[in-house]
Coordinates of all heavy atoms in Angstrom, one line a residue:
Y236 N -74.1 5.9 -21.7 CA -73.3 6.6 -20.6 C -73.9 6.3 -19.3 O -75.1 6.3 -19.1 CB -73.2 8.1 -20.8 CG -72.7 8.8 -19.6 CD1 -71.3 8.6 -19.3 CD2 -73.5 9.5 -18.8 CE1 -70.8 9.3 -18.2 CE2 -73.0 10.2 -17.7 CZ -71.6 10.0 -17.4 OH -71.1 10.6 -16.3
G253 N -46.2 12.8 -26.2 CA -46.4 14.0 -27.0 C -47.9 14.2 -27.1 O -48.7 13.4 -26.8
Q382 N -18.0 -8.4 31.4 CA -18.6 -8.6 30.1 C -19.1 -7.3 29.5 O -18.8 -7.0 28.3 CB -19.7 -9.6 30.2 CG -20.4 -9.8 28.8 CD -21.6 -10.8 28.9 OE1 -21.4 -11.9 29.5 NE2 -22.7 -10.5 28.3
L392 N -13.6 0.3 19.7 CA -12.7 -0.1 18.6 C -13.4 0.1 17.3 O -12.8 0.5 16.3 CB -12.2 -1.5 18.8 CG -11.1 -1.7 19.8 CD1 -10.8 -3.2 20.0 CD2 -9.8 -1.0 19.4
D421 N -8.2 -16.3 20.9 CA -8.1 -16.4 22.4 C -9.4 -17.2 22.9 O -10.5 -16.7 22.6 CB -8.0 -15.1 23.0 CG -8.1 -15.1 24.5 OD1 -7.7 -16.2 25.1 OD2 -8.4 -14.1 25.2
A635 N -31.6 -27.0 10.3 CA -31.2 -26.3 9.1 C -32.1 -26.6 7.9 O -32.5 -25.7 7.1 CB -29.8 -26.6 8.7
L811 N -65.8 -18.6 31.1 CA -65.4 -17.3 30.7 C -65.7 -16.2 31.8 O -65.0 -15.2 31.9 CB -66.0 -16.9 29.4 CG -65.5 -17.7 28.2 CD1 -66.1 -17.2 26.9 CD2 -64.0 -17.6 28.1
K816 N -63.6 -12.5 35.5 CA -63.5 -12.0 36.9 C -62.1 -11.9 37.3 O -61.7 -11.0 38.0 CB -64.2 -13.1 37.8 CG -64.4 -12.6 39.2 CD -65.4 -11.5 39.4 CE -65.8 -11.3 40.8 NZ -64.8 -10.6 41.6
T826 N -53.7 0.8 38.2 CA -53.9 0.3 36.9 C -54.0 1.5 35.9 O -54.8 2.4 36.1 CB -55.1 -0.6 36.8 OG1 -55.0 -1.6 37.8 CG2 -55.3 -1.2 35.4
F857 N -78.6 -12.6 33.8 CA -77.2 -12.6 33.5 C -76.6 -11.2 33.6 O -75.5 -11.1 34.1 CB -77.0 -13.2 32.1 CG -75.6 -13.1 31.5 CD1 -74.6 -13.9 32.0 CD2 -75.3 -12.1 30.6 CE1 -73.3 -13.8 31.5 CE2 -74.0 -12.0 30.1 CZ -73.0 -12.8 30.5
R1063 N -96.2 32.7 24.7 CA -95.6 33.5 25.8 C -94.2 33.0 26.1 O -93.3 33.8 26.3 CB -96.4 33.3 27.1 CG -97.7 34.3 27.1 CD -98.2 34.4 28.5 NE -98.8 33.1 29.0 CZ -100.0 32.7 28.8 NH1 -100.9 33.5 28.1 NH2 -100.5 31.6 29.2
P1159 N -83.0 44.7 1.6 CA -81.9 45.2 0.7 C -80.6 44.4 0.8 O -80.4 43.7 1.9 CB -81.7 46.6 1.2 CG -82.0 46.5 2.6 CD -83.1 45.5 2.8

Side-chain angles (χ1 to χ4, degrees):
Y236 170 71
Q382 177 180 314
L392 286 173
D421 178 23
L811 291 185
K816 188 73 168 71
T826 306
F857 170 76
R1063 279 196 294 271

